[in-house]
Amino acid sequence: TEGQGFAQGTTIGGRYVLEKRVGAGAFGEVYRASDTEVPGHVVALKLLYQPSTSPEARATALRELHLIASVFHPSIVQFKDHGWHENRLWFVMPWYQGESLEARMRRAPLTREEAHRIFTSLARALSAMHAAGIRHQDVKPDNVYLAKIKTAGDDDVLPVLLDLGVAAKEAEMIVAGTPTYFAPEVASQFANVDQRMNIGVKA
């Protein structure tokens, strides 16, 4: 369950050894793990909280994985492997060095050049998702990772969009995410609901 992580040294999938728990979200927890089949290779391993004990539950658990796999862009996190551990879905993603956009913004305001570079990459990534018929639904600074990429001896930054746990196909009527970062058209739906409720109360 949420808040109960696996111990350091636990082996997942017969290959990945958990080193430390580095984050947790609404649906799962993320670990730094070493890949025993590739010496020196470090990965990010996400493990869902809820066990899946039926074919239907397993199909639901695989939802985020299918969405990630259905679109490719350098600024969208990719998965490398997956499996089941104690009936809980796990999947492996690249381990990035860097910091979240939220952490970067807490340190100091972005320069115009930084902001342009980051948001241009994110806009292209979201365009690729939309072309595949997918809405992310939770674009916020904490879900954008500024990965340091070594290029010609210098550190360059690649913005990477993380966490597709609440993403949805365009045909799906799923509204989720962080309310303070809702798109205007989504927020307006809730405003209209609140307005109708207030009218009902007054009546």
Side-chain angles (χ1 to χ4, degrees):
T1 58
E2 186 173 353
Q4 295 179 339
F6 284 89
Q8 179 181 352
T10 300
T11 299
I12 303 293
R15 175 176 178 176
Y16 305 101
V17 179
L18 303 185
E19 295 182 354
K20 64 177 180 178
R21 190 175 188 245
V22 296
F27 302 106
E29 52 201 349
V30 179
Y31 293 83
R32 175 187 164 106
S34 58
D35 182 351
T36 59
E37 294 189 8
V38 184
H41 187 215
V42 175
V43 300
L45 187 147
K46 183 170 183 176
L47 186 67
L48 300 194
Y49 296 126
Q50 296 299 323
S52 301
T53 56
S54 69
E56 294 78 12
R58 288 199 166 207
T60 299
L62 285 165
R63 184 175 175 279
E64 180 177 358
L65 199 67
H66 291 160
L67 290 174
I68 292 174
S70 67
V71 59
F72 173 79
H73 188 278
S75 287
I76 298 174
V77 66
Q78 298 296 306
F79 85 91
K80 303 158 70 71
D81 196 2
H82 76 286
W84 301 89
H85 182 80
E86 298 180 359
N87 287 321
R88 291 167 60 175
L89 175 67
W90 58 264
F91 56 92
V92 168
M93 300 165 289
W95 177 263
Y96 298 111
Q97 296 290 343
E99 62 183 342
S100 70
L101 177 58
E102 181 178 16
R104 170 62 189 84
M105 292 169 65
R106 281 201 303 264
R107 284 196 291 107
L110 295 173
T111 66
R112 289 190 178 186
E113 181 181 357
E114 284 180 294
H116 182 269
R117 185 168 61 249
I118 291 169
F119 295 116
T120 297
S121 295
L122 292 178
R124 289 173 177 162
L126 289 168
S127 179
M129 290 185 67
H130 296 165
I134 299 169
R135 306 187 309 273
H136 186 282
Q137 298 200 129
D138 201 18
V139 179
K140 59 183 180 181
D142 195 41
N143 280 343
V144 176
Y145 201 79
L146 304 180
K148 290 186 177 180
I149 307 297
K150 292 288 186 179
T151 56
D154 297 322
D155 281 335
D156 201 1
V157 170
L158 174 67
V160 181
L161 193 56
L162 306 176
D163 198 355
L164 274 68
V166 297
K169 291 286 188 179
E170 289 294 348
E172 295 177 320
M173 296 301 294
I174 299 174
V175 177
T178 306
T180 51
Y181 291 98
F182 276 166
E185 63 272 17
V186 175
S188 66
Q189 294 180 32
F190 287 91
N192 290 337
V193 169
D194 289 341
Q195 186 176 25
R196 288 196 297 270
M197 290 178 65
N198 289 335
I199 292 174
V201 169
K202 291 178 182 178

